[in-house]
Amino acid sequence: MNLFDMIGPVMIGPSSSHTAGAARIGRVARQLLGEKPVKAVVSFHGSFEKTYVGHGTDRAVTGGLMDMGVDDERLRRSLKLAKEEGLDISFRPVHLRDAHPNTVVVDVTGESGKHVTVQAASIGGGRIMVQYLDGLEVGFSGERTTLVIRHTDAPGAIAMVTHILSGVQINIATMRVFRREAGGQAIMAIELDQRPQDNLIAALKILPAVSDVTLLDQI
């Protein structure tokens, strides 16, 4: 246990789980979308569903979707700011089987029409765990710089990605790979010890099996 574990994050709001964690979830969803969001449906499970108004969880997720950090004073006014900026956001309850009590599902659409669905949990002290991306299990925390790579489940796809990373001396802290079926859609979630340069991201994007690469900075 470190000092952060004991005192929690610097943040706006009454609860590290219900506000700081929720803001981080919204911000991860924004980064995974990769563009300005114009519509979002936010579904709250468990204790989030029961207390999201009183604890400001709705404002926190909204602020995160607008790329606000957990200590941004604008979080308190995020619902008003979202309306002014044309973000159509709504909230509803959801009941998920075997999910953490502080779980939120964010369905968000960007200005180009791109859409992502992110399910994540706020697990305490402002920490989060992103569990699913568009229905595929991913399992990353956002505490490290993370590459999220969508690709076809093809022989050599993982080897090509790791070869490029090792070639520029970037160390992998954790790596998880998930797929729906053999030969189908898959996702790599790779937490890194260093932030890669833009030219490396460009090199990953042109790999034969890769359809999309998102770089998540520490949230």
Side-chain angles (χ1 to χ4, degrees):
M1 179 176 290
N2 58 33
L3 183 62
F4 181 89
D5 296 318
M6 293 184 283
I7 67 174
V10 176
M11 65 178 193
I12 301 297
S15 167
S16 59
S17 293
H18 288 242
T19 49
R24 286 192 168 113
I25 290 170
R27 204 171 187 193
V28 165
R30 166 66 178 258
Q31 290 196 15
L32 288 167
L33 182 66
E35 62 186 52
K36 181 181 178 180
V38 296
K39 184 175 182 180
V41 178
V42 180
S43 304
F44 291 118
H45 166 80
S47 64
F48 268 2
E49 184 229 328
K50 295 178 176 65
T51 64
Y52 74 86
V53 175
H55 283 177
T57 312
D58 51 350
R59 285 168 283 167
V61 174
T62 302
L65 282 169
M66 298 170 71
D67 207 26
M68 299 177 192
V70 299
D71 58 349
D72 195 316
E73 292 283 347
R74 296 174 299 162
L75 283 173
R76 297 188 177 98
R77 299 179 288 116
S78 63
L79 294 176
K80 180 176 182 293
L81 294 173
K83 187 174 181 180
E84 292 174 354
E85 293 189 15
L87 172 56
D88 176 13
I89 188 164
S90 59
F91 307 94
R92 67 181 186 182
V94 67
H95 300 286
L96 303 170
R97 185 175 180 180
D98 299 326
H100 189 281
N102 294 337
T103 296
V104 59
V105 180
V106 182
D107 290 285
V108 59
T109 303
E111 54 190 354
S112 74
K114 182 180 178 181
H115 174 266
V116 297
T117 300
V118 178
Q119 178 178 320
S122 179
I123 58 176
R127 290 191 170 91
I128 68 170
M129 180 58 65
V130 181
Q131 302 158 323
Y132 292 92
L133 173 58
D134 293 338
L136 270 176
E137 187 177 2
V138 284
F140 61 86
S141 67
E143 293 179 17
R144 289 188 174 96
T145 298
T146 303
L147 281 172
V148 180
I149 302 175
R150 297 173 184 265
H151 62 102
T152 303
D153 178 43
I158 296 170
M160 285 187 286
V161 169
T162 57
H163 176 73
I164 287 176
L165 292 174
S166 66
V168 291
Q169 299 297 300
I170 290 182
N171 194 50
I172 295 173
T174 68
M175 181 175 184
R176 304 185 75 186
V177 183
F178 299 93
R179 67 182 189 182
R180 283 199 172 93
E181 59 187 6
Q185 182 185 3
I187 293 177
M188 301 181 212
I190 309 172
E191 295 183 321
L192 306 173
D193 287 338
Q194 305 105 314
R195 191 185 193 282
Q197 299 294 320
D198 291 343
N199 60 351
L200 184 139
I201 304 301
L204 292 172
K205 286 182 176 179
I206 63 174
L207 290 175
V210 171
S211 56
D212 186 57
V213 179
T214 302
L215 177 64
L216 300 178
D217 285 313
Q218 292 175 324
I219 302 299

